[in-house]
mmCIF file of all heavy atoms in Angstrom:
data_model
loop_
_atom_site.group_PDB
_atom_site.id
_atom_site.type_symbol
_atom_site.label_atom_id
_atom_site.label_comp_id
_atom_site.label_asym_id
_atom_site.label_seq_id
_atom_site.Cartn_x
_atom_site.Cartn_y
_atom_site.Cartn_z
ATOM 1 N N ALA A 251 92.174 -68.198 86.804
ATOM 2 C CA ALA A 251 93.220 -69.154 86.409
ATOM 3 C C ALA A 251 93.562 -68.992 84.932
ATOM 4 O O ALA A 251 94.725 -69.092 84.519
ATOM 5 C CB ALA A 251 92.760 -70.585 86.706
ATOM 6 N N PHE A 252 92.548 -68.734 84.136
ATOM 7 C CA PHE A 252 92.750 -68.550 82.684
ATOM 8 C C PHE A 252 93.655 -67.340 82.431
ATOM 9 O O PHE A 252 94.609 -67.398 81.659
ATOM 10 C CB PHE A 252 91.365 -68.373 82.046
ATOM 11 C CG PHE A 252 91.352 -68.220 80.548
ATOM 12 C CD1 PHE A 252 91.397 -69.336 79.719
ATOM 13 C CD2 PHE A 252 91.254 -66.968 79.959
ATOM 14 C CE1 PHE A 252 91.361 -69.198 78.331
ATOM 15 C CE2 PHE A 252 91.224 -66.818 78.578
ATOM 16 C CZ PHE A 252 91.281 -67.946 77.762
ATOM 17 N N ILE A 253 93.358 -66.245 83.128
ATOM 18 C CA ILE A 253 94.125 -65.004 82.897
ATOM 19 C C ILE A 253 95.505 -65.059 83.566
ATOM 20 O O ILE A 253 96.456 -64.449 83.073
ATOM 21 C CB ILE A 253 93.314 -63.778 83.369
ATOM 22 C CG1 ILE A 253 92.099 -63.587 82.457
ATOM 23 C CG2 ILE A 253 94.167 -62.505 83.396
ATOM 24 C CD1 ILE A 253 92.424 -63.332 80.990
ATOM 25 N N ALA A 254 95.619 -65.830 84.655
ATOM 26 C CA ALA A 254 96.943 -65.964 85.291
ATOM 27 C C ALA A 254 97.959 -66.441 84.264
ATOM 28 O O ALA A 254 99.140 -66.105 84.318
ATOM 29 C CB ALA A 254 96.869 -66.937 86.465
ATOM 30 N N GLU A 255 97.516 -67.244 83.310
ATOM 31 C CA GLU A 255 98.417 -67.721 82.264
ATOM 32 C C GLU A 255 98.491 -66.752 81.076
ATOM 33 O O GLU A 255 99.551 -66.494 80.527
ATOM 34 C CB GLU A 255 97.919 -69.094 81.776
ATOM 35 C CG GLU A 255 98.774 -69.735 80.710
ATOM 36 C CD GLU A 255 100.167 -70.129 81.199
ATOM 37 O OE1 GLU A 255 100.312 -70.514 82.380
ATOM 38 O OE2 GLU A 255 101.119 -70.036 80.375
ATOM 39 N N LEU A 256 97.333 -66.200 80.688
ATOM 40 C CA LEU A 256 97.273 -65.450 79.418
ATOM 41 C C LEU A 256 97.716 -63.990 79.519
ATOM 42 O O LEU A 256 98.062 -63.377 78.511
ATOM 43 C CB LEU A 256 95.832 -65.527 78.864
ATOM 44 C CG LEU A 256 95.600 -64.974 77.464
ATOM 45 C CD1 LEU A 256 96.469 -65.683 76.426
ATOM 46 C CD2 LEU A 256 94.125 -65.076 77.077
ATOM 47 N N TRP A 257 97.718 -63.417 80.719
ATOM 48 C CA TRP A 257 97.835 -61.952 80.813
ATOM 49 C C TRP A 257 99.065 -61.384 80.132
ATOM 50 O O TRP A 257 99.029 -60.305 79.566
ATOM 51 C CB TRP A 257 97.785 -61.496 82.286
ATOM 52 C CG TRP A 257 99.030 -61.768 83.067
ATOM 53 C CD1 TRP A 257 99.338 -62.898 83.741
ATOM 54 C CD2 TRP A 257 100.144 -60.878 83.249
ATOM 55 N NE1 TRP A 257 100.574 -62.798 84.327
ATOM 56 C CE2 TRP A 257 101.088 -61.560 84.046
ATOM 57 C CE3 TRP A 257 100.429 -59.583 82.824
ATOM 58 C CZ2 TRP A 257 102.303 -60.990 84.422
ATOM 59 C CZ3 TRP A 257 101.642 -59.006 83.182
ATOM 60 C CH2 TRP A 257 102.567 -59.710 83.978
ATOM 61 N N ARG A 258 100.171 -62.146 80.147
ATOM 62 C CA ARG A 258 101.414 -61.625 79.552
ATOM 63 C C ARG A 258 101.283 -61.344 78.056
ATOM 64 O O ARG A 258 102.032 -60.569 77.495
ATOM 65 C CB ARG A 258 102.547 -62.624 79.734
ATOM 66 C CG ARG A 258 103.148 -62.626 81.106
ATOM 67 C CD ARG A 258 104.331 -63.588 81.166
ATOM 68 N NE ARG A 258 104.697 -63.800 82.551
ATOM 69 C CZ ARG A 258 104.053 -64.631 83.354
ATOM 70 N NH1 ARG A 258 103.035 -65.336 82.912
ATOM 71 N NH2 ARG A 258 104.425 -64.757 84.607
ATOM 72 N N GLN A 259 100.355 -62.028 77.417
ATOM 73 C CA GLN A 259 100.217 -61.878 75.964
ATOM 74 C C GLN A 259 99.296 -60.711 75.598
ATOM 75 O O GLN A 259 99.107 -60.438 74.422
ATOM 76 C CB GLN A 259 99.610 -63.165 75.356
ATOM 77 C CG GLN A 259 100.167 -64.454 75.927
ATOM 78 C CD GLN A 259 101.651 -64.618 75.628
ATOM 79 O OE1 GLN A 259 102.168 -63.995 74.691
ATOM 80 N NE2 GLN A 259 102.325 -65.426 76.429
ATOM 81 N N LEU A 260 98.653 -60.103 76.610
ATOM 82 C CA LEU A 260 97.629 -59.097 76.335
ATOM 83 C C LEU A 260 98.149 -57.692 76.596
ATOM 84 O O LEU A 260 99.219 -57.508 77.171
ATOM 85 C CB LEU A 260 96.396 -59.359 77.224
ATOM 86 C CG LEU A 260 95.842 -60.781 77.210
ATOM 87 C CD1 LEU A 260 94.656 -60.904 78.177
ATOM 88 C CD2 LEU A 260 95.421 -61.198 75.801
ATOM 89 N N GLY A 261 97.372 -56.686 76.211
ATOM 90 C CA GLY A 261 97.712 -55.291 76.491
ATOM 91 C C GLY A 261 96.886 -54.401 75.586
ATOM 92 O O GLY A 261 96.447 -54.845 74.524
ATOM 93 N N PRO A 262 96.684 -53.134 75.983
ATOM 94 C CA PRO A 262 95.774 -52.260 75.232
ATOM 95 C C PRO A 262 96.213 -52.017 73.794
ATOM 96 O O PRO A 262 95.376 -51.736 72.944
ATOM 97 C CB PRO A 262 95.788 -50.957 76.036
ATOM 98 C CG PRO A 262 97.010 -51.023 76.892
ATOM 99 C CD PRO A 262 97.277 -52.475 77.149
ATOM 100 N N ASP A 263 97.538 -52.134 73.520
ATOM 101 C CA ASP A 263 98.012 -51.972 72.143
ATOM 102 C C ASP A 263 98.590 -53.273 71.602
ATOM 103 O O ASP A 263 99.298 -53.276 70.589
ATOM 104 C CB ASP A 263 99.079 -50.862 72.075
ATOM 105 C CG ASP A 263 98.501 -49.508 72.497
ATOM 106 O OD1 ASP A 263 97.395 -49.185 72.035
ATOM 107 O OD2 ASP A 263 99.136 -48.825 73.320
ATOM 108 N N THR A 264 98.335 -54.374 72.307
ATOM 109 C CA THR A 264 98.914 -55.662 71.905
ATOM 110 C C THR A 264 97.811 -56.638 71.513
ATOM 111 O O THR A 264 97.751 -57.110 70.378
ATOM 112 C CB THR A 264 99.738 -56.266 73.066
ATOM 113 O OG1 THR A 264 100.679 -55.293 73.512
ATOM 114 C CG2 THR A 264 100.443 -57.536 72.646
ATOM 115 N N ASP A 265 96.935 -56.934 72.451
ATOM 116 C CA ASP A 265 95.864 -57.905 72.205
ATOM 117 C C ASP A 265 94.741 -57.592 73.183
ATOM 118 O O ASP A 265 94.972 -57.552 74.395
ATOM 119 C CB ASP A 265 96.408 -59.328 72.412
ATOM 120 C CG ASP A 265 95.375 -60.402 72.059
ATOM 121 O OD1 ASP A 265 94.177 -60.071 71.893
ATOM 122 O OD2 ASP A 265 95.767 -61.584 71.978
ATOM 123 N N VAL A 266 93.559 -57.354 72.655
ATOM 124 C CA VAL A 266 92.417 -56.895 73.458
ATOM 125 C C VAL A 266 91.248 -57.883 73.310
ATOM 126 O O VAL A 266 90.501 -57.838 72.332
ATOM 127 C CB VAL A 266 91.967 -55.481 73.007
ATOM 128 C CG1 VAL A 266 90.824 -54.964 73.879
ATOM 129 C CG2 VAL A 266 93.143 -54.507 73.047
ATOM 130 N N PRO A 267 91.038 -58.778 74.276
ATOM 131 C CA PRO A 267 89.932 -59.731 74.178
ATOM 132 C C PRO A 267 88.581 -59.107 74.528
ATOM 133 O O PRO A 267 88.501 -57.959 74.990
ATOM 134 C CB PRO A 267 90.287 -60.813 75.209
ATOM 135 C CG PRO A 267 91.686 -60.550 75.637
ATOM 136 C CD PRO A 267 91.916 -59.080 75.421
ATOM 137 N N ALA A 268 87.515 -59.890 74.311
ATOM 138 C CA ALA A 268 86.141 -59.477 74.634
ATOM 139 C C ALA A 268 85.335 -60.755 74.843
ATOM 140 O O ALA A 268 85.912 -61.827 75.015
ATOM 141 C CB ALA A 268 85.568 -58.657 73.474
ATOM 142 N N GLY A 269 84.008 -60.651 74.795
ATOM 143 C CA GLY A 269 83.154 -61.820 74.997
ATOM 144 C C GLY A 269 82.861 -62.568 73.709
ATOM 145 O O GLY A 269 83.171 -62.125 72.613
ATOM 146 N N ASP A 270 82.262 -63.727 73.863
ATOM 147 C CA ASP A 270 81.730 -64.548 72.766
ATOM 148 C C ASP A 270 80.831 -65.583 73.461
ATOM 149 O O ASP A 270 80.368 -65.313 74.586
ATOM 150 C CB ASP A 270 82.872 -65.193 71.954
ATOM 151 C CG ASP A 270 82.382 -65.797 70.636
ATOM 152 O OD1 ASP A 270 82.144 -65.036 69.681
ATOM 153 O OD2 ASP A 270 82.195 -67.028 70.550
ATOM 154 N N ILE A 271 80.603 -66.726 72.858
ATOM 155 C CA ILE A 271 79.726 -67.721 73.492
ATOM 156 C C ILE A 271 80.251 -68.051 74.900
ATOM 157 O O ILE A 271 81.438 -68.333 75.080
ATOM 158 C CB ILE A 271 79.644 -69.013 72.643
ATOM 159 C CG1 ILE A 271 78.896 -68.738 71.336
ATOM 160 C CG2 ILE A 271 78.976 -70.135 73.426
ATOM 161 C CD1 ILE A 271 78.835 -69.928 70.394
ATOM 162 N N GLY A 272 79.358 -67.988 75.878
ATOM 163 C CA GLY A 272 79.713 -68.351 77.248
ATOM 164 C C GLY A 272 80.517 -67.295 77.979
ATOM 165 O O GLY A 272 80.894 -67.496 79.141
ATOM 166 N N VAL A 273 80.795 -66.192 77.339
ATOM 167 C CA VAL A 273 81.542 -65.097 77.986
ATOM 168 C C VAL A 273 80.765 -63.800 77.798
ATOM 169 O O VAL A 273 80.649 -63.294 76.675
ATOM 170 C CB VAL A 273 82.976 -64.962 77.414
ATOM 171 C CG1 VAL A 273 83.683 -63.774 78.049
ATOM 172 C CG2 VAL A 273 83.764 -66.251 77.653
ATOM 173 N N GLY A 274 80.210 -63.312 78.892
ATOM 174 C CA GLY A 274 79.462 -62.054 78.880
ATOM 175 C C GLY A 274 80.073 -61.104 79.889
ATOM 176 O O GLY A 274 81.237 -61.246 80.280
ATOM 177 N N ALA A 275 79.254 -60.142 80.341
ATOM 178 C CA ALA A 275 79.769 -59.092 81.233
ATOM 179 C C ALA A 275 80.389 -59.683 82.504
ATOM 180 O O ALA A 275 81.433 -59.210 82.970
ATOM 181 C CB ALA A 275 78.641 -58.139 81.598
ATOM 182 N N ARG A 276 79.762 -60.726 83.056
ATOM 183 C CA ARG A 276 80.293 -61.302 84.297
ATOM 184 C C ARG A 276 81.714 -61.849 84.091
ATOM 185 O O ARG A 276 82.638 -61.540 84.850
ATOM 186 C CB ARG A 276 79.360 -62.435 84.762
ATOM 187 C CG ARG A 276 79.891 -63.221 85.931
ATOM 188 C CD ARG A 276 78.955 -64.342 86.368
ATOM 189 N NE ARG A 276 78.727 -65.347 85.332
ATOM 190 C CZ ARG A 276 78.158 -66.530 85.556
ATOM 191 N NH1 ARG A 276 77.742 -66.858 86.770
ATOM 192 N NH2 ARG A 276 77.983 -67.392 84.567
ATOM 193 N N GLU A 277 81.890 -62.644 83.045
ATOM 194 C CA GLU A 277 83.196 -63.272 82.799
ATOM 195 C C GLU A 277 84.250 -62.216 82.426
ATOM 196 O O GLU A 277 85.397 -62.289 82.869
ATOM 197 C CB GLU A 277 83.080 -64.323 81.690
ATOM 198 C CG GLU A 277 82.267 -65.560 82.069
ATOM 199 C CD GLU A 277 80.765 -65.333 82.099
ATOM 200 O OE1 GLU A 277 80.298 -64.313 81.534
ATOM 201 O OE2 GLU A 277 80.043 -66.155 82.701
ATOM 202 N N VAL A 278 83.837 -61.247 81.582
ATOM 203 C CA VAL A 278 84.788 -60.185 81.213
ATOM 204 C C VAL A 278 85.223 -59.432 82.468
ATOM 205 O O VAL A 278 86.406 -59.116 82.651
ATOM 206 C CB VAL A 278 84.186 -59.220 80.159
ATOM 207 C CG1 VAL A 278 85.033 -57.955 80.006
ATOM 208 C CG2 VAL A 278 84.056 -59.923 78.804
ATOM 209 N N GLY A 279 84.284 -59.172 83.375
ATOM 210 C CA GLY A 279 84.615 -58.475 84.624
ATOM 211 C C GLY A 279 85.669 -59.231 85.423
ATOM 212 O O GLY A 279 86.677 -58.645 85.857
ATOM 213 N N TYR A 280 85.480 -60.531 85.592
ATOM 214 C CA TYR A 280 86.455 -61.325 86.359
ATOM 215 C C TYR A 280 87.803 -61.385 85.645
ATOM 216 O O TYR A 280 88.866 -61.313 86.273
ATOM 217 C CB TYR A 280 85.946 -62.749 86.594
ATOM 218 C CG TYR A 280 84.742 -62.840 87.515
ATOM 219 C CD1 TYR A 280 83.749 -63.803 87.313
ATOM 220 C CD2 TYR A 280 84.605 -61.991 88.614
ATOM 221 C CE1 TYR A 280 82.655 -63.908 88.153
ATOM 222 C CE2 TYR A 280 83.509 -62.087 89.463
ATOM 223 C CZ TYR A 280 82.530 -63.045 89.230
ATOM 224 O OH TYR A 280 81.459 -63.151 90.060
ATOM 225 N N MET A 281 87.771 -61.513 84.316
ATOM 226 C CA MET A 281 89.048 -61.606 83.577
ATOM 227 C C MET A 281 89.769 -60.258 83.605
ATOM 228 O O MET A 281 90.988 -60.199 83.809
ATOM 229 C CB MET A 281 88.806 -62.071 82.138
ATOM 230 C CG MET A 281 88.479 -63.551 82.064
ATOM 231 S SD MET A 281 88.554 -64.220 80.393
ATOM 232 C CE MET A 281 86.949 -63.799 79.773
ATOM 233 N N PHE A 282 89.002 -59.183 83.423
ATOM 234 C CA PHE A 282 89.624 -57.849 83.457
ATOM 235 C C PHE A 282 90.245 -57.587 84.829
ATOM 236 O O PHE A 282 91.368 -57.072 84.939
ATOM 237 C CB PHE A 282 88.593 -56.763 83.124
ATOM 238 C CG PHE A 282 89.133 -55.373 83.295
ATOM 239 C CD1 PHE A 282 89.999 -54.839 82.352
ATOM 240 C CD2 PHE A 282 88.799 -54.605 84.407
ATOM 241 C CE1 PHE A 282 90.523 -53.560 82.516
ATOM 242 C CE2 PHE A 282 89.320 -53.327 84.574
ATOM 243 C CZ PHE A 282 90.191 -52.804 83.623
ATOM 244 N N GLY A 283 89.503 -57.950 85.887
ATOM 245 C CA GLY A 283 90.010 -57.739 87.254
ATOM 246 C C GLY A 283 91.346 -58.444 87.462
ATOM 247 O O GLY A 283 92.302 -57.861 87.992
ATOM 248 N N MET A 284 91.433 -59.687 87.015
ATOM 249 C CA MET A 284 92.668 -60.450 87.189
ATOM 250 C C MET A 284 93.787 -59.866 86.329
ATOM 251 O O MET A 284 94.939 -59.757 86.767
ATOM 252 C CB MET A 284 92.415 -61.919 86.811
ATOM 253 C CG MET A 284 93.563 -62.839 87.141
ATOM 254 S SD MET A 284 93.820 -62.950 88.934
ATOM 255 C CE MET A 284 95.116 -64.180 88.984
ATOM 256 N N TYR A 285 93.431 -59.450 85.110
ATOM 257 C CA TYR A 285 94.434 -58.832 84.228
ATOM 258 C C TYR A 285 95.029 -57.579 84.881
ATOM 259 O O TYR A 285 96.241 -57.374 84.926
ATOM 260 C CB TYR A 285 93.828 -58.476 82.853
ATOM 261 C CG TYR A 285 94.816 -57.705 82.028
ATOM 262 C CD1 TYR A 285 95.817 -58.379 81.330
ATOM 263 C CD2 TYR A 285 94.826 -56.313 82.020
ATOM 264 C CE1 TYR A 285 96.786 -57.679 80.624
ATOM 265 C CE2 TYR A 285 95.788 -55.607 81.322
ATOM 266 C CZ TYR A 285 96.768 -56.287 80.633
ATOM 267 O OH TYR A 285 97.726 -55.591 79.955
ATOM 268 N N LYS A 286 94.125 -56.766 85.390
ATOM 269 C CA LYS A 286 94.531 -55.495 86.017
ATOM 270 C C LYS A 286 95.501 -55.755 87.169
ATOM 271 O O LYS A 286 96.499 -55.064 87.336
ATOM 272 C CB LYS A 286 93.254 -54.801 86.528
ATOM 273 C CG LYS A 286 93.432 -53.448 87.117
ATOM 274 C CD LYS A 286 92.177 -53.019 87.858
ATOM 275 C CE LYS A 286 92.040 -53.852 89.129
ATOM 276 N NZ LYS A 286 90.952 -53.361 90.004
#
Side-chain angles (χ1 to χ4, degrees):
F252 182 83
I253 292 299
E255 181 66 34
L256 188 59
W257 74 272
R258 282 184 193 80
Q259 318 296 339
L260 309 178
D263 298 315
T264 307
D265 185 347
V266 183
D270 193 77
I271 292 177
V273 177
R276 173 180 62 167
E277 291 75 16
V278 167
Y280 293 145
M281 286 193 276
F282 173 76
M284 188 65 176
Y285 173 81
K286 184 193 71 172

